[in-house]
Amino acid sequence: MSQNKTHDGKPLITLKDVIKSFGTNEVLKGISMELYSNENLVIIGKSGSGKSVLIKCLVRLVDIDSGSINVLGKSIPDLSQVELDKVRTDVGFLFQGSALYDSMTVGENLQFPLRRHKHRMRGQDEGQLISEALISVGLEHAIDMMPVDLSGGMKRRVALARTLILQPKIILYDEPTSGLDPITSNEIISLILNIQRKYNTASIIITHDMDFVRVVSDRIIIIQDGINYAEGSYANLSKSSDPKIRAFFKERRL
């Protein structure tokens, strides 16, 4: 299990009283939270509780109705598009469906963000960066393969390599083990832990996979009815007598 960390310094992300509605459906009803350096913060909740909406709000893929979001010292709702794009290069986003470009090889998928953000290369060789990113996820042999020829787990690894190639300070994971078999899920879990150690990234992870939560989380936030209902370590929350909290850990009590 990932160990709880002592939080030193300012948080990398701060949300305060964030509200987001879609029509008459109020999904987020005043969420507040913080993410600290080199921390894996896992967010769990029932389907439709707003977990994925929350992380999309962090990089303004979805605009909030009210509240504040500060990422790496920047007020996200107040940024221009140019300023927002700059912040986004420091925040990697691993989408649930991997979102690879089907018409590009694995290498070209990794090359794409480098071409868009040449200033991030800092004089480094493009080919070397692509090779190092693929080595990090154990897929250096797949550089010339097409996405259609990859398994689900390989697609997830390539998407993670593409996220890593810009060396982000923060990574947002949306259901990283969803749809994967148990063996592949365990490989992705190990990979995420290795990446955290190697690159000192901080992560927010959305997941329903409680085995994943147990192994990866430094801290857990449970979203219930649009608010952060509970917060703590896996060890502490799994011992809770609150039935709403126990429901997430019931399989571990058998």
Side-chain angles (χ1 to χ4, degrees):
M1 184 184 301
S2 187
Q3 299 297 314
N4 271 0
K5 299 180 176 71
T6 301
H7 301 317
D8 297 320
K10 294 181 179 180
L12 301 180
I13 293 178
T14 303
L15 281 75
K16 290 185 179 178
D17 303 321
V18 170
I19 293 175
K20 176 61 186 177
S21 298
F22 295 95
T24 59
N25 181 23
E26 192 175 34
V27 178
L28 304 179
K29 302 179 182 180
I31 294 283
S32 298
M33 54 166 271
E34 295 174 331
L35 174 72
Y36 292 87
S37 297
N38 198 30
E39 176 185 38
N40 282 336
L41 172 61
V42 175
I43 299 177
I44 60 177
K46 294 180 180 179
S47 296
S49 61
K51 304 182 299 296
S52 293
V53 171
L54 174 62
I55 59 172
K56 288 176 181 176
C57 289
L58 291 176
V59 287
R60 219 168 82 192
L61 294 174
V62 173
D63 289 318
I64 62 174
D65 299 330
S66 63
S68 64
I69 299 177
N70 189 288
V71 177
L72 299 172
K74 305 291 184 181
S75 175
I76 295 300
D78 299 326
L79 298 181
S80 68
Q81 190 61 50
V82 171
E83 292 169 330
L84 179 61
D85 288 343
K86 187 175 181 180
V87 172
R88 284 174 175 172
T89 62
D90 282 320
V91 182
F93 201 125
L94 188 69
F95 293 95
Q96 186 172 339
S98 299
L100 300 178
Y101 297 106
D102 292 336
S103 61
M104 297 181 180
T105 65
V106 167
E108 289 168 343
N109 265 278
L110 270 64
Q111 185 183 62
F112 185 78
L114 292 177
R115 294 284 174 91
R116 286 193 63 196
H117 305 285
K118 290 184 178 180
H119 64 283
R120 300 281 293 189
M121 293 177 63
R122 304 181 184 92
Q124 299 177 74
D125 178 76
E126 183 181 273
Q128 183 179 349
L129 289 173
I130 292 171
S131 178
E132 288 176 355
L134 287 175
I135 289 171
S136 293
V137 299
L139 284 179
E140 60 270 29
H141 65 282
I143 189 168
D144 294 319
M145 294 177 69
M146 300 298 292
V148 70
D149 298 318
L150 304 177
S151 67
M154 291 173 74
K155 288 179 180 178
R156 210 68 56 91
R157 286 171 175 266
V158 172
L160 187 50
R162 187 177 61 184
T163 298
L164 286 172
I165 205 161
L166 293 178
Q167 301 174 14
K169 296 180 176 70
I170 299 165
I171 301 179
L172 308 178
Y173 296 93
D174 190 3
E175 298 284 2
T177 59
S178 175
L180 302 179
D181 62 82
I183 293 175
T184 306
S185 293
N186 287 336
E187 291 173 351
I188 296 296
I189 290 170
S190 296
L191 185 58
I192 288 173
L193 288 172
N194 288 338
I195 285 168
Q196 182 194 29
R197 296 185 191 106
K198 182 175 179 179
Y199 296 99
N200 295 316
T201 55
S203 302
I204 295 179
I205 304 166
I206 305 298
T207 186
H208 288 92
D209 184 341
M210 293 307 292
D211 285 324
F212 185 112
V213 176
R214 177 178 56 84
V215 175
V216 170
S217 63
D218 295 308
R219 187 162 52 97
I220 302 167
I221 289 176
I222 299 176
I223 295 181
Q224 183 92 18
D225 299 323
I227 62 170
N228 34 333
Y229 181 80
E231 178 178 336
S233 67
Y234 185 98
N236 289 336
L237 290 175
S238 64
K239 297 173 185 175
S240 174
S241 60
D242 185 325
K244 290 184 178 180
I245 297 175
R246 284 174 60 99
F248 292 100
F249 300 87
K250 60 184 179 181
E251 294 183 3
R252 288 286 161 189
R253 293 175 175 273
L254 298 177

Coordinates of all heavy atoms in Angstrom, one line a residue, residues 2 38 40 94 98 110 131-141 151-164 171 173 176-177 180 182-203 205 212 215-216:
S2 N 0.5 2.2 -0.7 CA 1.2 3.5 -0.8 C 1.1 4.1 0.6 O 0.1 4.1 1.3 CB 0.6 4.4 -1.8 OG 1.4 5.6 -2.0
N38 N 3.8 15.1 -5.0 CA 4.2 13.6 -4.9 C 3.1 12.8 -4.2 O 3.5 11.9 -3.4 CB 5.6 13.5 -4.2 CG 6.2 12.1 -4.5 OD1 5.9 11.5 -5.5 ND2 7.0 11.6 -3.6
N40 N -0.6 10.7 -4.4 CA -1.7 10.0 -5.1 C -3.0 10.2 -4.3 O -3.3 9.5 -3.3 CB -1.4 8.5 -5.3 CG -0.4 8.2 -6.4 OD1 -0.2 9.0 -7.3 ND2 0.2 7.1 -6.3
L94 N -5.0 11.4 -18.5 CA -5.2 10.1 -19.0 C -6.6 9.8 -19.1 O -7.3 9.5 -18.1 CB -4.4 9.0 -18.2 CG -4.4 7.6 -18.8 CD1 -3.5 7.6 -20.1 CD2 -3.9 6.6 -17.8
S98 N -8.3 6.1 -23.5 CA -7.0 6.3 -24.1 C -6.8 7.4 -25.1 O -5.9 8.1 -25.1 CB -6.4 4.9 -24.6 OG -6.4 3.9 -23.7
L110 N 3.0 9.9 -29.9 CA 3.9 10.5 -28.9 C 4.5 11.8 -29.5 O 4.8 12.7 -28.7 CB 4.9 9.5 -28.4 CG 4.5 8.7 -27.2 CD1 3.4 7.8 -27.5 CD2 5.7 7.9 -26.6
S131 N 11.5 7.5 -27.3 CA 12.1 6.2 -26.9 C 12.0 6.1 -25.4 O 11.6 5.0 -24.8 CB 13.5 6.1 -27.4 OG 14.1 4.9 -26.9
E132 N 12.4 7.1 -24.6 CA 12.4 7.1 -23.2 C 11.0 6.9 -22.6 O 10.8 6.2 -21.6 CB 13.1 8.3 -22.6 CG 14.6 8.4 -22.8 CD 15.2 9.7 -22.3 OE1 14.4 10.6 -21.9 OE2 16.4 9.8 -22.4
A133 N 10.1 7.6 -23.2 CA 8.7 7.5 -22.7 C 8.1 6.1 -22.9 O 7.5 5.5 -22.1 CB 7.8 8.5 -23.4
L134 N 8.4 5.5 -24.1 CA 8.0 4.1 -24.3 C 8.7 3.1 -23.5 O 8.1 2.1 -23.0 CB 8.2 3.8 -25.8 CG 7.2 4.5 -26.8 CD1 7.6 4.2 -28.2 CD2 5.8 4.0 -26.5
I135 N 10.0 3.3 -23.2 CA 10.7 2.4 -22.3 C 10.1 2.5 -20.9 O 9.9 1.5 -20.2 CB 12.2 2.8 -22.2 CG1 12.9 2.4 -23.6 CG2 12.9 2.2 -21.1 CD1 14.3 3.0 -23.7
S136 N 9.6 3.7 -20.5 CA 9.0 3.9 -19.1 C 7.8 3.0 -19.0 O 7.4 2.6 -17.8 CB 8.7 5.3 -18.9 OG 9.8 6.1 -18.8
V137 N 7.1 2.7 -20.1 CA 5.8 1.9 -20.0 C 6.0 0.5 -20.6 O 5.1 -0.2 -20.8 CB 4.7 2.7 -20.7 CG1 4.4 4.0 -20.0 CG2 4.9 2.8 -22.2
G138 N 7.3 0.2 -20.9 CA 7.6 -1.1 -21.4 C 7.1 -1.5 -22.8 O 6.8 -2.6 -23.1
L139 N 7.1 -0.4 -23.6 CA 6.6 -0.6 -25.0 C 7.5 -0.1 -26.1 O 7.0 0.4 -27.1 CB 5.2 0.0 -25.1 CG 4.0 -0.7 -24.5 CD1 2.7 0.1 -24.7 CD2 3.8 -2.1 -25.1
E140 N 8.8 -0.1 -25.8 CA 9.7 0.4 -26.8 C 9.6 -0.3 -28.1 O 9.9 0.2 -29.2 CB 11.2 0.4 -26.3 CG 11.7 -1.0 -25.9 CD 11.4 -1.4 -24.5 OE1 10.4 -0.9 -23.9 OE2 12.2 -2.2 -23.9
H141 N 9.2 -1.6 -28.1 CA 9.1 -2.4 -29.3 C 7.9 -2.0 -30.2 O 7.8 -2.5 -31.3 CB 9.0 -3.9 -28.9 CG 7.7 -4.2 -28.2 ND1 7.6 -3.9 -26.8 CD2 6.6 -4.8 -28.6 CE1 6.4 -4.3 -26.4 NE2 5.7 -4.8 -27.5
S151 N -3.5 -4.2 -27.7 CA -4.5 -4.6 -26.8 C -5.0 -3.4 -25.9 O -4.4 -2.3 -26.0 CB -3.9 -5.7 -25.8 OG -2.9 -5.1 -25.0
G152 N -6.1 -3.6 -25.1 CA -6.5 -2.5 -24.3 C -5.5 -2.0 -23.3 O -5.3 -0.8 -23.1
G153 N -4.7 -3.0 -22.7 CA -3.7 -2.6 -21.8 C -2.6 -1.8 -22.5 O -2.0 -0.9 -21.9
M154 N -2.2 -2.3 -23.7 CA -1.2 -1.6 -24.4 C -1.6 -0.2 -24.8 O -0.8 0.8 -24.7 CB -0.8 -2.4 -25.7 CG -0.1 -3.7 -25.4 SD 0.2 -4.7 -26.9 CE 1.5 -3.8 -27.7
K155 N -2.8 0.0 -25.2 CA -3.4 1.3 -25.5 C -3.3 2.3 -24.3 O -2.9 3.4 -24.4 CB -4.8 1.3 -26.0 CG -5.0 0.7 -27.4 CD -6.4 0.6 -27.8 CE -6.6 0.0 -29.2 NZ -8.0 -0.1 -29.5
R156 N -3.6 1.7 -23.1 CA -3.5 2.5 -21.9 C -2.1 2.9 -21.6 O -1.8 4.0 -21.2 CB -4.1 1.7 -20.8 CG -4.8 2.5 -19.6 CD -6.1 3.2 -20.1 NE -7.1 2.3 -20.6 CZ -8.0 1.7 -20.0 NH1 -8.1 1.8 -18.7 NH2 -8.9 0.9 -20.6
R157 N -1.1 2.0 -21.9 CA 0.3 2.3 -21.7 C 0.8 3.4 -22.6 O 1.5 4.3 -22.2 CB 1.1 1.0 -21.8 CG 1.0 0.0 -20.7 CD 1.7 -1.3 -21.0 NE 1.7 -2.2 -19.9 CZ 2.7 -2.3 -19.0 NH1 3.8 -1.6 -19.2 NH2 2.6 -3.2 -18.1
V158 N 0.4 3.3 -23.9 CA 0.8 4.3 -24.9 C 0.2 5.6 -24.5 O 0.9 6.7 -24.6 CB 0.3 3.9 -26.3 CG1 0.6 5.0 -27.3 CG2 1.1 2.6 -26.8
A159 N -1.0 5.7 -24.1 CA -1.7 6.9 -23.6 C -0.9 7.5 -22.5 O -0.7 8.7 -22.4 CB -3.1 6.7 -23.3
L160 N -0.4 6.7 -21.6 CA 0.3 7.1 -20.4 C 1.7 7.7 -20.9 O 2.2 8.7 -20.4 CB 0.5 6.0 -19.4 CG 1.1 6.3 -18.1 CD1 0.5 7.6 -17.4 CD2 1.0 5.1 -17.1
A161 N 2.3 7.0 -21.8 CA 3.6 7.4 -22.3 C 3.4 8.8 -23.0 O 4.3 9.7 -22.8 CB 4.2 6.4 -23.3
R162 N 2.3 9.0 -23.7 CA 2.1 10.3 -24.4 C 1.9 11.4 -23.3 O 2.3 12.5 -23.5 CB 0.8 10.2 -25.3 CG 0.6 11.4 -26.1 CD -0.6 11.2 -27.0 NE -1.8 11.0 -26.3 CZ -3.0 10.7 -26.9 NH1 -3.1 10.6 -28.2 NH2 -4.1 10.5 -26.2
T163 N 1.2 11.0 -22.2 CA 1.0 12.0 -21.1 C 2.4 12.3 -20.5 O 2.7 13.5 -20.2 CB 0.1 11.4 -20.1 OG1 -1.2 11.1 -20.6 CG2 -0.1 12.3 -18.9
L164 N 3.3 11.3 -20.3 CA 4.5 11.5 -19.7 C 5.5 12.3 -20.5 O 6.4 13.0 -19.9 CB 5.2 10.2 -19.3 CG 4.6 9.4 -18.2 CD1 5.2 8.0 -18.1 CD2 4.8 10.1 -16.9
I171 N -0.6 14.5 -12.9 CA -1.4 13.6 -13.8 C -2.8 13.3 -13.3 O -2.9 13.0 -12.1 CB -0.6 12.3 -14.1 CG1 0.8 12.5 -14.6 CG2 -1.4 11.4 -15.1 CD1 1.6 11.3 -14.9
Y173 N -5.9 10.9 -13.7 CA -6.3 9.6 -14.3 C -7.8 9.4 -14.2 O -8.3 9.4 -13.0 CB -5.6 8.5 -13.5 CG -4.1 8.4 -13.6 CD1 -3.3 9.0 -12.6 CD2 -3.4 7.7 -14.6 CE1 -1.9 9.0 -12.6 CE2 -2.0 7.6 -14.6 CZ -1.3 8.2 -13.6 OH 0.1 8.2 -13.7
P176 N -8.2 4.4 -14.8 CA -7.1 3.9 -15.6 C -7.1 2.4 -15.7 O -6.5 1.8 -16.6 CB -5.9 4.3 -14.8 CG -6.4 4.6 -13.4 CD -7.8 5.1 -13.6
T177 N -7.9 1.6 -14.9 CA -8.0 0.2 -15.0 C -9.3 -0.3 -15.6 O -9.6 -1.5 -15.6 CB -7.7 -0.5 -13.7 OG1 -8.6 -0.1 -12.7 CG2 -6.3 -0.2 -13.2
L180 N -10.1 -3.5 -18.1 CA -9.0 -4.4 -18.2 C -9.1 -5.6 -17.4 O -9.7 -5.6 -16.3 CB -7.7 -3.6 -17.8 CG -7.4 -2.3 -18.6 CD1 -6.1 -1.6 -18.0 CD2 -7.2 -2.6 -20.0
P182 N -7.8 -8.6 -14.7 CA -7.1 -8.4 -13.5 C -5.5 -8.3 -13.6 O -4.9 -7.5 -12.9 CB -7.5 -9.6 -12.6 CG -8.8 -10.0 -13.2 CD -8.8 -9.7 -14.6
I183 N -5.0 -9.2 -14.5 CA -3.5 -9.2 -14.7 C -3.0 -7.9 -15.3 O -2.1 -7.2 -14.8 CB -3.1 -10.4 -15.5 CG1 -3.3 -11.7 -14.8 CG2 -1.6 -10.2 -15.9 CD1 -3.0 -12.9 -15.6
T184 N -3.7 -7.4 -16.3 CA -3.4 -6.1 -16.9 C -3.6 -5.0 -16.0 O -2.8 -4.0 -15.9 CB -4.2 -5.9 -18.2 OG1 -4.0 -7.1 -19.1 CG2 -3.7 -4.7 -19.0
S185 N -4.7 -5.0 -15.2 CA -4.9 -4.0 -14.2 C -3.8 -3.9 -13.2 O -3.3 -2.8 -12.9 CB -6.2 -4.3 -13.5 OG -7.3 -4.2 -14.3
N186 N -3.3 -5.0 -12.8 CA -2.1 -5.0 -11.8 C -0.9 -4.4 -12.5 O -0.1 -3.7 -11.8 CB -1.9 -6.4 -11.3 CG -2.9 -6.9 -10.3 OD1 -3.6 -6.1 -9.7 ND2 -3.0 -8.2 -10.2
E187 N -0.7 -4.7 -13.7 CA 0.4 -4.1 -14.5 C 0.3 -2.6 -14.5 O 1.3 -1.9 -14.3 CB 0.5 -4.7 -15.9 CG 0.9 -6.1 -15.9 CD 0.8 -6.7 -17.3 OE1 0.3 -6.0 -18.2 OE2 1.3 -7.9 -17.5
I188 N -0.9 -2.1 -14.8 CA -1.1 -0.6 -14.8 C -0.9 0.0 -13.4 O -0.3 1.1 -13.3 CB -2.5 -0.3 -15.3 CG1 -2.7 -0.8 -16.8 CG2 -2.8 1.2 -15.2 CD1 -1.8 -0.1 -17.8
I189 N -1.4 -0.7 -12.4 CA -1.2 -0.2 -11.0 C 0.3 -0.1 -10.7 O 0.8 1.0 -10.2 CB -1.8 -1.2 -10.0 CG1 -3.3 -1.1 -10.1 CG2 -1.3 -0.9 -8.6 CD1 -4.1 -2.1 -9.3
S190 N 1.1 -1.1 -11.0 CA 2.6 -1.1 -10.8 C 3.2 0.1 -11.6 O 4.1 0.7 -11.1 CB 3.2 -2.4 -11.2 OG 2.7 -3.4 -10.4
L191 N 2.7 0.2 -12.8 CA 3.3 1.3 -13.7 C 3.0 2.6 -13.1 O 3.9 3.5 -13.1 CB 2.6 1.1 -15.1 CG 3.2 2.1 -16.2 CD1 4.7 1.9 -16.4 CD2 2.4 1.8 -17.5
I192 N 1.8 2.9 -12.6 CA 1.5 4.2 -12.1 C 2.4 4.5 -10.8 O 2.9 5.6 -10.6 CB 0.0 4.3 -11.7 CG1 -0.8 4.4 -13.0 CG2 -0.3 5.5 -10.8 CD1 -2.3 4.3 -12.8
L193 N 2.6 3.5 -10.0 CA 3.5 3.6 -8.8 C 4.9 3.9 -9.2 O 5.6 4.8 -8.6 CB 3.4 2.4 -7.9 CG 2.1 2.2 -7.1 CD1 2.0 0.9 -6.5 CD2 1.9 3.4 -6.1
N194 N 5.4 3.2 -10.2 CA 6.7 3.4 -10.7 C 6.9 4.8 -11.3 O 8.0 5.4 -11.1 CB 7.1 2.3 -11.8 CG 7.3 1.0 -11.2 OD1 7.6 0.8 -10.0 ND2 7.1 -0.1 -12.0
I195 N 5.9 5.3 -12.0 CA 6.0 6.6 -12.6 C 6.0 7.7 -11.5 O 6.8 8.6 -11.6 CB 4.8 6.8 -13.6 CG1 5.0 6.0 -14.9 CG2 4.6 8.3 -13.9 CD1 3.8 5.9 -15.7
Q196 N 5.2 7.5 -10.5 CA 5.2 8.4 -9.4 C 6.6 8.5 -8.7 O 7.1 9.6 -8.5 CB 4.2 8.0 -8.3 CG 4.1 9.0 -7.2 CD 3.3 8.5 -6.0 OE1 3.3 7.2 -5.8 NE2 2.7 9.3 -5.2
R197 N 7.2 7.3 -8.5 CA 8.6 7.3 -7.9 C 9.6 7.9 -8.8 O 10.5 8.7 -8.4 CB 9.0 5.9 -7.6 CG 8.1 5.2 -6.5 CD 8.6 3.9 -6.2 NE 7.6 3.1 -5.4 CZ 6.9 2.1 -5.8 NH1 7.1 1.7 -7.1 NH2 6.1 1.4 -5.1
K198 N 9.6 7.6 -10.1 CA 10.6 8.1 -11.1 C 10.5 9.6 -11.3 O 11.5 10.3 -11.4 CB 10.5 7.3 -12.3 CG 11.5 7.6 -13.4 CD 11.5 6.7 -14.6 CE 12.5 7.1 -15.6 NZ 12.5 6.2 -16.8
Y199 N 9.3 10.0 -11.5 CA 9.1 11.4 -12.0 C 8.6 12.4 -10.9 O 8.4 13.6 -11.1 CB 8.1 11.5 -13.2 CG 8.6 10.7 -14.4 CD1 8.2 9.4 -14.7 CD2 9.5 11.3 -15.3 CE1 8.6 8.8 -15.8 CE2 10.0 10.7 -16.4 CZ 9.5 9.4 -16.7 OH 10.0 8.7 -17.8
N200 N 8.3 11.8 -9.7 CA 7.8 12.6 -8.6 C 6.6 13.4 -8.9 O 6.4 14.6 -8.6 CB 8.9 13.6 -8.1 CG 10.1 12.9 -7.5 OD1 10.0 12.0 -6.7 ND2 11.3 13.4 -7.9
T201 N 5.7 12.7 -9.7 CA 4.4 13.4 -10.1 C 3.4 13.3 -8.9 O 3.5 12.4 -8.0 CB 3.8 12.6 -11.3 OG1 3.6 11.3 -11.0 CG2 4.6 12.8 -12.5
A202 N 2.5 14.3 -8.9 CA 1.3 14.2 -8.1 C 0.1 13.8 -8.9 O 0.1 14.2 -10.1 CB 1.1 15.6 -7.4
S203 N -0.8 13.0 -8.4 CA -1.8 12.5 -9.2 C -3.2 12.6 -8.5 O -3.3 12.4 -7.3 CB -1.6 11.0 -9.6 OG -0.4 10.8 -10.2
I205 N -6.7 10.5 -9.0 CA -7.1 9.3 -9.7 C -8.6 9.0 -9.4 O -9.0 8.9 -8.3 CB -6.3 8.1 -9.2 CG1 -4.8 8.3 -9.5 CG2 -6.7 6.8 -10.0 CD1 -3.9 7.4 -8.7
F212 N -7.2 -1.3 -6.6 CA -6.4 -0.2 -7.1 C -6.2 0.8 -5.9 O -5.1 1.3 -5.6 CB -7.0 0.4 -8.3 CG -6.2 1.5 -9.0 CD1 -5.7 1.4 -10.2 CD2 -6.0 2.8 -8.4 CE1 -4.9 2.4 -10.9 CE2 -5.3 3.8 -9.0 CZ -4.8 3.6 -10.2
V215 N -3.9 -0.2 -3.0 CA -2.5 -0.2 -3.3 C -1.9 1.2 -3.6 O -0.8 1.5 -3.2 CB -2.2 -1.2 -4.5 CG1 -0.7 -1.1 -4.9 CG2 -2.6 -2.6 -4.2
V216 N -2.6 2.0 -4.3 CA -2.1 3.2 -4.9 C -2.3 4.5 -4.0 O -1.5 5.4 -3.9 CB -2.7 3.5 -6.3 CG1 -2.3 4.9 -6.8 CG2 -2.2 2.4 -7.2

